[in-house]
Amino acid sequence: MSKNDAAIRVSVIMANYNGAAHIAAAVESVLRQTEPALELIVSDDASTDDSLYIARNAAAGDARLVLLTSETRGGPAIARNRALAIARGAWVAIVDNDDHIDAERLEGLINRAEADGADLAADNLLNFYDDAPEQKRLHLPARFARAPQWISAAAYVDADNGSAGLGYLKPIFRRAAFGDALRYDEALHIGEDAQLMTQLLSRGARLRLYPEAWYHYRKRHGSISHRQKPETIEAMIAALDRIDPGADEALAAALALRRRNLLDALSFIDLVAALKARDAGAVARAAIKRPSALRLLSEPIAARLGLRPRT
């Protein structure tokens, strides 16, 4: 690490694809942090709108903004890896291009993580909606939001198997703890955040969760189940199978349940297609093949799996 690199405490990575509607607020929220020793790397994924122009204007000449461009679209994992390759901070933080963060977030998380000896740190989310700005709510259930706590690999996966949705969180990463392991699975276009976290935790990383809600997370009403494709779920299953739980029986059990949920999601896609086609035979075959997938008819697939497409 060079002398100039040592001055950067945190590299903030923001993947972007056609984020013109919200990227200004996202950029401004990062550059007004109480932690000044940062760089903001906006990694563009072949946008066709004017989001990069808007990002430059939002930065108002702030030299801490770094823009990366690409001629071809590869997805958020590839865009983030491109930024990770040039990141210089001792810590790495992810902020999505349609979210924003409180001014004290990075300084608060890093100070606490360093004091506690954490490799990873995350805070609660304050969920908000475009079409109902008055509807704001904390993301984490009470058991995760009362006080700081350590989260094991098994607890992390178990929470996503249930309704807690730790996979939505946006942790910060201590770079020295991971080296080349701090890299997103480029086969994934959904669920890449949770996959990376699970991989790192399975290798012994220490995650500290804090109850403050410094991250403002944009949500959209309605189900996204119609957007899921079989190849998306299949890629997630393949990535999950690459995680080695070792001797951690609790983690192995949590991963097995996660795999069953993904297989249910795959069958659910077939079931929905058959229902839309009014093909009674195909509906019956899908239901017989995997009866547990029927429960997903009563809830959005994204809510069950903790998924949301991001740029």
Side-chain angles (χ1 to χ4, degrees):
M1 182 177 289
S2 71
K3 183 177 180 181
N4 288 338
D5 292 350
I8 297 176
R9 195 178 188 197
V10 56
S11 297
V12 182
I13 291 175
M14 185 179 295
N16 176 67
Y17 175 70
N18 287 353
H22 306 295
I23 196 169
V27 167
E28 289 166 0
S29 75
V30 172
L31 295 179
R32 67 167 177 258
Q33 291 294 296
T34 58
E35 172 53 69
L38 64 82
E39 63 178 355
L40 169 58
I41 306 173
V42 175
S43 183
D44 189 66
D45 197 27
S47 290
T48 57
D49 67 358
D50 58 352
S51 51
L52 290 186
Y53 173 80
I54 292 172
R56 288 191 191 94
N57 280 352
D62 194 320
R64 295 175 299 171
L65 174 67
V66 178
L67 296 180
L68 297 180
T69 59
S70 174
E71 295 297 321
T72 58
R73 189 177 181 196
I78 290 176
R80 288 176 184 164
N81 284 342
R82 192 182 305 123
L84 281 170
I86 68 163
R88 298 174 292 167
W91 290 84
V92 170
I94 304 297
V95 176
D96 286 334
N97 67 344
D98 58 351
D99 298 334
H100 57 275
I101 56 177
D102 288 341
E104 67 272 24
R105 181 181 189 252
L106 295 178
E107 183 178 27
L109 274 182
I110 293 171
N111 285 348
R112 293 187 182 195
E114 289 180 345
D116 291 339
D119 305 311
L120 304 157
D123 50 350
N124 202 346
L125 306 175
L126 185 63
N127 294 326
F128 68 99
Y129 296 86
D130 279 335
D131 55 352
E134 73 284 356
Q135 292 184 19
K136 295 181 180 180
R137 65 177 182 84
L138 295 175
H139 176 73
L140 292 175
R143 71 182 186 277
F144 289 114
R146 292 191 183 99
Q149 58 188 284
W150 294 104
I151 303 296
S152 68
Y156 182 85
V157 178
D158 270 335
D160 275 349
N161 286 334
S163 59
L166 296 189
Y168 280 93
L169 302 182
K170 296 296 178 182
I172 61 171
F173 307 83
R174 188 196 297 266
R175 285 181 64 201
F178 304 115
D180 293 340
L182 187 55
R183 183 175 175 82
Y184 287 88
D185 189 325
E186 296 185 353
L188 298 178
H189 288 256
I190 291 177
E192 70 281 353
D193 294 300
Q195 173 68 19
L196 176 60
M197 286 294 296
T198 304
Q199 188 72 262
L200 297 177
L201 289 169
S202 73
R203 296 175 180 178
R206 288 161 51 84
L207 168 62
R208 189 72 164 163
L209 179 60
Y210 300 100
E212 286 79 9
W214 288 321
Y215 192 103
H216 296 247
Y217 187 90
R218 189 181 305 274
K219 292 178 71 72
R220 299 172 181 87
H221 285 294
S223 169
I224 63 164
S225 60
H226 63 284
R227 302 180 193 175
Q228 303 304 320
K229 298 179 180 179
E231 56 267 29
T232 299
I233 306 299
E234 289 167 353
M236 294 177 68
I237 293 171
L240 192 70
D241 289 343
R242 290 193 286 273
I243 296 175
D244 181 7
D248 189 338
E249 294 181 1
L251 176 58
L255 291 172
L257 177 56
R258 175 68 169 165
R259 194 178 197 280
R260 290 197 295 273
N261 287 341
L262 288 170
L263 287 172
D264 284 350
L266 201 55
S267 295
F268 174 76
I269 293 172
D270 292 338
L271 183 60
V272 169
L275 287 168
K276 287 182 177 179
R278 298 188 179 185
D279 186 337
V283 170
R285 288 191 295 273
I288 292 171
K289 179 181 179 181
R290 200 162 187 87
S292 54
L294 292 171
R295 79 189 191 283
L296 292 175
L297 290 173
S298 65
E299 57 183 313
I301 187 174
R304 177 66 184 172
L305 296 178
L307 306 179
R308 178 167 70 116
R310 301 299 299 235
T311 55

